[in-house]
Amino acid sequence: MIRKTVSQAPIYVRDTMTRAARMAAAQDFEGAVDSLWPVVCKNPEVPALYDKIREYELGKLRTQGGGVKFIAAFCGFFKAIRVGMLCGSDPVKAMELCEKSLAFCVDNPPILNALVKASFAAGAPWGAVSALQVLCKLHPNPVRMKSLAEAMQLNGQGIDALKVHQDIIAKAADKKNVDKAGLQAAMVLASIERGNFNDQKSKKAANAADAEDAIIQQLLDGTIHDAEQAQLLIDRFTAELRKKDSVDMRRKMADAYMIAEKYDDALREYRAVADRLGVVDPVLDKHIEKAYISKLRVSVDELKANPGNYEDPEKQIRDLEQQIVDYRWKHASSRAEQFPNDMQLQFDFGELQFEFEMYDEAVKTFQKVAENPQKRRGSLVYLGRCALLRNDPVEAEKYLQEAVNEMPRMDKYKREAMYYLGNALELNGKNEDAVTNYRQILVSMANYRDVPQRLKALGVEME
């Protein structure tokens, strides 16, 4: 398997990594894992994905109880047998099966060991390194640490392998029985790696004053929001495109134009990328939609701010807002129709139906999406909200209680689900249950929405 950098991977890989990083920064590790693991399965040649998915899975693990770990390991024992059988015929498929299990719970030694075997069979030592790092972190022993050092050496991580060998020696009771051959090999590789690193460091030092390089990296990481910095990127990419046209470069250019709020230019570049690709890319289509809608909203804001400068501004505002509605509907429905098995796109379409008060249609969409484990809880919440707005609190309570029961950690998603569950309980005359529900919300976040007012209306004295 030939490894690839993130920049060499398909466009949606970087988008998903950025989205997952934002979820993780908000401590939503479950959401980060859910969004990233399917991308890892489709792009096993990108080592950076394995570093991130393991990081987020370990974050998710901190919220999981012993029961989840037991079930994962028990099921993993039997699944590992199937993975082992696949290693000879289809090791990439074997890696995919492992990732699916680890996304549920990463503390799964049988599957982690199976991933090591499958990764080596597929020629992807980075996958083995990621699995062994987790094993050594959660269940360390000298044999595993030695395996990790060997995998790191095969993956070209000489310095990291040397550190592991040194750690093994430091912890060894009998220093005479250390793996001297492995240590020597790691030292040689580390020496070579340091030499290459120093060469690269020298080259980077010569350009340390070049702020554009740092800003470009920020763009790739999704952490740049400053229009002035974005203009530096635009100038840089424009010069690069004169030398050599590139789809990836035009995509970065469009992203920079969006940050600089030059929506017409962003649209031009996004559409140029779409034409060059020749196929419908749903992620790119979302970017085109966002650029076009942003452009229209700038016009609406201008009309509202300076109505005296325009003829019949109210009519122009109505027309533009209708264009926004029509454009959003056209693109969301088109994506949902063209990619019926992409549950994220189906979920997005359901959200738009809900926003447009098409509750009957939204129910049909979310009932379908709820069959997908990654989108089930969000769909249940929307089904409950639809039932509330259709004046069916009994149905709403059923969906919302199911959603809350499936959310182990109190976060913004569970608070929202519990809030609407409390609304349903009130309408069903279950005031005591509603009070208990609302109080749990306030324990995690005081003054959440209108919960204090609702409790007061239910006769609860607030401290």
Side-chain angles (χ1 to χ4, degrees):
M1 186 182 297
I2 300 174
R3 71 178 72 209
K4 291 183 179 179
T5 63
V6 174
S7 62
Q8 293 171 324
I11 291 171
Y12 72 87
V13 171
R14 188 173 70 228
D15 290 328
T16 307
M17 288 183 73
T18 300
R19 187 166 65 249
R22 288 172 181 163
M23 291 179 183
Q27 300 299 299
D28 180 15
F29 291 107
E30 187 167 359
V33 170
D34 288 347
S35 65
L36 197 57
W37 78 261
V39 177
V40 178
C41 292
K42 292 180 181 178
N43 301 271
E45 69 280 6
V46 183
L49 289 170
Y50 290 84
D51 295 333
K52 287 301 177 184
I53 192 70
R54 297 289 97 86
E55 176 188 336
Y56 302 153
E57 285 166 350
L58 287 169
K60 177 181 176 180
L61 181 65
R62 293 197 292 267
T63 68
Q64 296 178 313
V68 173
K69 298 174 188 177
F70 174 79
I71 293 170
F74 179 78
C75 296
F77 176 80
F78 297 100
K79 192 170 186 178
I81 297 173
R82 182 186 173 197
V83 172
M85 295 172 64
L86 269 174
C87 282
S89 58
D90 192 349
V92 174
K93 179 65 176 177
M95 291 175 70
E96 182 179 331
L97 292 176
C98 292
E99 291 300 337
K100 186 174 183 180
S101 293
L102 295 175
F104 172 68
C105 178
V106 76
D107 190 358
N108 191 334
I111 293 296
L112 287 166
N113 284 315
L115 178 58
V116 172
K117 183 178 179 181
S119 298
F120 282 134
W126 49 87
V129 169
S130 77
L132 286 163
Q133 283 178 319
V134 174
L135 279 168
C136 289
K137 182 179 180 66
L138 300 178
H139 308 284
N141 65 49
V143 174
R144 282 178 176 151
M145 292 177 71
K146 180 181 176 183
S147 296
L148 173 59
E150 291 171 350
M152 285 176 165
Q153 286 173 234
L154 287 172
N155 197 40
Q157 297 174 248
I159 295 174
D160 293 330
L162 181 58
K163 289 177 181 177
V164 174
H165 274 294
Q166 290 170 338
D167 196 23
I168 294 172
I169 294 170
K171 294 177 180 178
D174 184 359
K175 310 295 184 184
K176 295 180 180 179
N177 292 327
V178 299
D179 181 11
K180 294 181 180 178
L183 175 61
Q184 184 65 32
M187 289 174 67
V188 171
L189 184 59
S191 178
I192 295 170
E193 190 176 334
R194 285 194 187 101
N196 291 335
F197 174 76
N198 288 333
D199 287 345
Q200 293 170 6
K201 189 175 181 181
S202 296
K203 292 176 184 176
K204 288 181 180 178
N207 298 318
D210 187 356
E212 294 178 34
D213 290 335
I215 295 169
I216 289 169
Q217 189 57 51
Q218 284 182 289
L219 176 68
L220 297 177
D221 294 341
T223 57
I224 178 173
H225 306 287
D226 183 83
E228 186 175 340
Q229 291 182 331
Q231 187 59 51
L232 287 174
L233 294 179
I234 292 166
D235 295 341
R236 172 78 167 265
F237 295 148
T238 300
E240 292 291 333
L241 284 168
R242 289 196 193 102
K243 299 175 187 176
K244 183 180 178 181
D245 204 335
S246 158
V247 168
D248 189 55
M249 189 67 70
R250 288 194 178 277
R251 170 61 186 276
K252 293 173 187 173
M253 172 84 91
D255 291 345
Y257 276 132
M258 285 296 292
I259 296 165
E261 299 182 0
K262 296 183 177 182
Y263 302 121
D264 282 321
D265 294 321
L267 266 174
R268 183 188 67 245
E269 296 302 333
Y270 281 135
R271 285 170 172 162
V273 172
D275 290 342
R276 289 278 294 278
L277 290 175
V279 294
V280 177
D281 180 335
V283 174
L284 184 57
D285 188 67
K286 282 186 177 182
H287 283 297
I288 290 172
E289 177 188 338
K290 182 179 179 180
Y292 186 77
I293 297 302
S294 297
K295 171 187 171 183
L296 294 183
R297 284 181 172 149
V298 167
S299 298
V300 170
D301 291 343
E302 168 61 21
L303 286 163
K304 289 181 177 178
N306 302 293
N309 296 341
Y310 303 94
E311 183 178 345
D312 200 353
E314 292 185 1
K315 181 180 184 303
Q316 290 192 58
I317 289 171
R318 286 196 303 271
D319 290 344
L320 286 169
E321 289 179 338
Q322 187 60 49
Q323 282 186 52
I324 290 172
V325 168
D326 293 343
Y327 196 88
R328 291 179 66 199
W329 179 262
K330 176 184 176 182
H331 279 252
S333 60
S334 177
R335 289 192 294 265
E337 183 179 347
Q338 292 183 69
F339 301 92
N341 297 321
D342 189 321
M343 290 301 104
Q344 180 60 58
L345 296 180
Q346 301 301 317
F347 187 86
D348 293 344
F349 186 46
E351 285 188 309
L352 193 62
Q353 290 172 321
F354 182 88
E355 182 184 335
F356 289 173
E357 300 182 4
M358 302 168 64
Y359 303 124
D360 291 339
E361 292 83 352
V363 165
K364 293 177 183 177
T365 299
F366 285 121
Q367 283 176 337
K368 175 185 174 184
V369 179
E371 296 175 6
N372 179 272
Q374 279 71 48
K375 292 297 172 187
R376 176 171 174 76
R377 285 169 292 189
S379 297
L380 289 172
V381 173
Y382 269 111
L383 286 167
R385 293 177 66 185
C386 286
L388 282 172
L389 292 165
R390 295 163 77 193
N391 197 29
D392 189 350
V394 174
E395 186 82 352
E397 181 184 342
K398 181 189 77 172
Y399 281 125
L400 291 162
Q401 187 65 67
E402 190 173 355
V404 169
N405 291 344
E406 294 189 14
M407 296 178 174
R409 181 166 58 91
M410 182 63 81
D411 55 15
K412 64 179 182 179
Y413 303 107
K414 186 168 185 176
R415 277 191 291 272
E416 180 185 53
M418 291 184 71
Y419 174 78
Y420 291 115
L421 174 59
N423 295 177
L425 290 168
E426 283 189 73
L427 291 170
N428 289 327
K430 300 179 180 180
N431 290 351
E432 289 185 10
D433 291 337
V435 168
T436 301
N437 186 79
Y438 287 142
R439 277 179 164 161
Q440 288 181 43
I441 295 173
L442 293 186
V443 167
S444 69
M445 181 176 285
N447 298 317
Y448 182 78
R449 298 196 183 186
D450 64 343
V451 170
Q453 291 78 16
R454 285 181 175 273
L455 283 171
K456 190 174 181 180
L458 290 168
V460 177
E461 291 295 328
M462 303 300 294
E463 295 181 1

